[in-house]
Amino acid sequence: MPVVTAVVSNADGLGSVPITNGTAKPKTEVKQLPVEYYADFLSDAAKARRPGPIRGLLPLEKTPGLISLLAGKPNSAMFPFTSLQFGARDPHSLKEYTLSLDQNVLDEGLQYAGTAGVPALIDWLTDLQEIEHHRNRSEGWRVSVTSGSQDAIYKAVQAIINSGDSLLVEKPVYAGVIPMFESLRSEMTEVETDDHGIQSSSLRQILENWPASKPKPKALYTVPYGCNPTGMTATLERRLEVLELARQHNFIILEDDPYYYLYYGDKPRVPSYFTLEAQTGTVGHVLRFDSFSKILSSGIRVGFATGPIPLLNAMDLHTASANLQAASFSQAIVVTLLKSWGYEGLKKHTENVSAFYRAKRDVFQAAFEKHLTGLAEVTPPEAGMFYWFKILLPEGDSGDSVELIREKAFQGGVLALPGTVFFPSGAKTPYVRASFSLLDEADVDEALRRLRVVILEARGGR
Ligand SMILES: Cc1ncc(COP(=O)(O)O)c(C=O)c1O
């Protein structure tokens, strides 16, 4: 397997050679996995997908001098939208200003677009990934715009998983992927996590003891920043070991990172897997999912996948037959906003967003300490919008938070999620997930006061 070209890192005080996480493109040549490497990864469904007779020819419409009789595109002269203006907040001054879509951007937004997205947005996002993740577009990856990151994750697993294939998932795992992985009849293997994110030692143990008779897992699904549901962020040390294992055992890291820009920890942020793979050896094991849902709008449904071209091609073929493309109208709005802000503006905006959630986290923590000290245990998150806390249930209790949360807490006027819904195996757990994104201080205080009453009652007043 790959030769390690640079040793890592410092963000966690580990290793010796500084890691770059940021603004410049790499100076050194990066080794890439060959295109053929992915042939073994593609699912039967992905291998069977062919480009449609129309969409496959659409790029030819751009041939200079060509008259196209090809696509059944509606004539935009008959669309009723003549202009589009919207108000936006400047990330620096926080003042509102008005943005108008350029006529050509509006025309593009009103019409069908390429499967991977509107070219101007793809370009902008490719630049963003180069800047933010310190990668170079010549390294065998590209970007596809999707209808939120959920759409991208769904297409990625469809592209690689056959019925019965093994898939590694964190325990607990984002509940929104469990039905998806189950419907594919993938065999989920749970990898332990803790306050430092995924336990790479658990992953190593699983892989080193993998039965020889059974094909190894094709992918690991992980949420490395502000994990949903645990709120935890994987440390550099863990990420490096996971990457090493991906190279040793040949699996793809599905890096689902919608909370990447919601990092508000005190230490410098840890680089993404997408960054790290280029700084530690051969690239091509990371398929990354970004989302605008938490920073621009969840209703606009724009996310993007970044990763090895053969995998992105397989995902695009799925899109071409499933929904043709992510909405061009949304993409036109997003690219107009992003171009008006520039990369610096987006950075400033994400700093504002993460500061907002940090303040919410602090409010939740204060209320947690006030009402639940001695009744529940927690490690405060440093990213994202979730608290994952352990209820100290009475001795002799089943060890499960389900009844307490679903029934007693609900009757007591609080709604939260019992931890078991995040375990593919449905295992019992005393953990609970609480989201702190929307509530003001008074509601947080009241919610946790109510929870205190319910837990105290379950503990017989102690
Ligand atoms: C971990 C994780 N992945 C993916 C998603 C889906 O996000 P999107 O709105 O981009 O589809 C969510 C949404 O909450 C999430 O928490």
Side-chain angles (χ1 to χ4, degrees):
M1 282 310 301
V3 184
V4 173
T5 51
V7 196
V8 209
S9 147
N10 68 355
D12 273 4
L14 305 158
S16 51
V17 179
I19 270 195
T20 347
N21 183 24
T23 48
K25 292 177 193 168
K27 295 187 187 91
T28 48
E29 280 277 304
V30 171
K31 284 196 171 189
Q32 296 167 30
L33 288 170
V35 169
E36 309 80 64
Y37 178 83
Y38 301 94
D40 287 344
F41 277 92
L42 293 184
S43 64
D44 295 341
K47 283 182 189 146
R49 281 198 186 98
R50 300 275 167 271
I54 302 170
R55 282 223 141 216
L57 294 178
L58 280 181
L60 295 183
E61 283 194 323
K62 301 247 184 276
T63 311
L66 187 89
I67 300 174
S68 175
L69 305 175
L70 175 72
K73 288 181 184 166
N75 193 315
S76 55
M78 288 295 99
F79 293 153
F81 302 98
T82 51
S83 66
L84 185 71
Q85 294 193 334
F86 59 93
R89 209 174 296 120
D90 179 87
H92 296 281
S93 67
L94 301 184
K95 290 207 177 100
E96 264 186 58
Y97 67 112
T98 303
L99 277 168
S100 304
L101 263 63
D102 283 348
Q103 194 57 47
N104 60 328
V105 177
L106 178 64
D107 289 347
E108 236 181 354
L110 291 173
Q111 193 51 273
Y112 291 117
T115 309
V118 166
L121 183 59
I122 296 176
D123 277 355
W124 207 94
L125 296 176
T126 307
D127 283 349
L128 173 69
Q129 300 302 63
E130 290 199 325
I131 295 166
E132 184 63 35
H133 298 283
H134 197 64
R135 295 291 303 263
N136 189 296
R137 69 186 69 201
S138 64
E139 294 164 3
W141 58 271
R142 67 172 181 82
V143 166
S144 278
V145 182
T146 53
S147 302
S149 55
Q150 187 84 8
D151 180 40
I153 299 161
Y154 181 64
K155 285 165 182 166
V157 289
Q158 287 263 357
I160 53 185
I161 296 294
N162 284 319
S163 175
D165 278 352
S166 297
L167 186 57
L168 298 157
V169 296
E170 287 170 315
K171 176 190 174 194
V173 62
Y174 163 49
V177 294
I178 297 177
M180 180 199 295
F181 297 168
E182 278 174 350
S183 72
L184 285 171
R185 302 194 187 288
S186 67
E187 205 182 276
M188 284 179 262
T189 302
E190 297 175 336
V191 183
E192 299 293 332
T193 64
D194 61 21
D195 291 353
H196 303 291
I198 187 164
Q199 277 188 31
S200 39
S201 55
S202 158
L203 182 60
R204 183 178 290 281
Q205 215 237 343
I206 290 169
L207 291 164
E208 287 179 354
N209 294 298
W210 198 262
S213 56
K214 200 167 141 185
K216 288 240 179 103
K218 282 178 161 174
L220 162 73
Y221 171 80
T222 180
V223 182
Y225 263 100
C227 180
N228 180 358
T230 62
M232 292 303 122
T233 295
T235 60
L236 179 63
E237 184 188 27
R238 298 275 176 92
R239 290 175 194 231
L240 290 174
E241 197 175 358
V242 169
L243 256 175
E244 188 186 309
L245 289 167
R247 290 181 175 132
Q248 265 172 21
H249 296 272
N250 285 318
F251 60 85
I252 303 292
I253 300 172
L254 301 174
E255 177 176 41
D256 182 16
D257 221 356
Y259 305 103
Y260 175 84
Y261 290 107
L262 270 61
Y263 175 67
Y264 40 76
D266 295 327
K267 284 191 274 174
R269 70 154 63 246
V270 179
S272 66
Y273 284 107
F274 189 57
T275 300
L276 287 172
E277 72 162 353
Q279 298 183 351
T280 55
T282 302
V283 298
H285 282 102
V286 180
L287 178 49
R288 181 178 164 81
F289 308 102
D290 281 276
S291 172
F292 283 132
S293 289
K294 322 295 172 184
I295 52 174
L296 298 186
S297 154
S298 38
I300 207 157
R301 305 307 302 135
V302 177
F304 51 106
T306 309
I309 292 169
L311 297 182
L312 270 277
N313 289 349
M315 290 164 65
D316 280 358
L317 277 180
H318 186 167
T319 297
S321 61
N323 58 327
L324 303 183
Q325 54 166 106
S328 343
F329 206 52
S330 288
Q331 295 184 57
I333 294 170
V334 168
V335 78
T336 301
L337 180 76
L338 293 175
K339 281 193 165 174
S340 122
W341 282 356
Y343 298 100
E344 274 308 308
L346 177 64
K347 192 168 171 7
K348 178 71 186 135
H349 173 68
T350 59
E351 283 165 9
N352 296 343
V353 175
S354 58
F356 172 90
Y357 284 106
R358 185 188 168 104
K360 292 251 173 233
R361 188 275 313 261
D362 291 346
V363 164
F364 198 94
Q365 182 63 23
F368 193 93
E369 285 168 19
K370 178 175 160 194
H371 295 296
L372 298 182
T373 299
L375 301 178
E377 287 172 352
V378 77
T379 301
E382 296 196 319
M385 47 178 73
F386 302 110
Y387 257 67
W388 177 251
F389 55 92
K390 182 181 177 185
I391 296 192
L392 302 175
L393 293 162
E395 296 239 334
D397 187 274
S398 65
D400 202 359
S401 63
V402 163
E403 196 197 330
L404 188 106
I405 292 301
R406 278 230 175 101
E407 293 169 27
K408 296 183 178 145
F410 180 63
Q411 282 155 15
V414 205
L415 192 59
L417 274 169
T420 186
V421 307
F422 300 95
F423 292 98
S425 61
K428 290 179 178 175
T429 172
Y431 280 86
V432 176
R433 192 196 79 171
S435 168
F436 58 84
S437 52
L438 297 177
L439 302 189
D440 62 22
E441 196 166 346
D443 279 345
V444 169
D445 190 73
E446 178 57 16
L448 296 190
R449 190 198 62 77
R450 290 179 188 177
L451 204 52
R452 172 187 177 78
V453 172
V454 170
I455 300 174
L456 271 173
E457 231 166 71
R459 289 166 53 111
R462 278 165 291 122

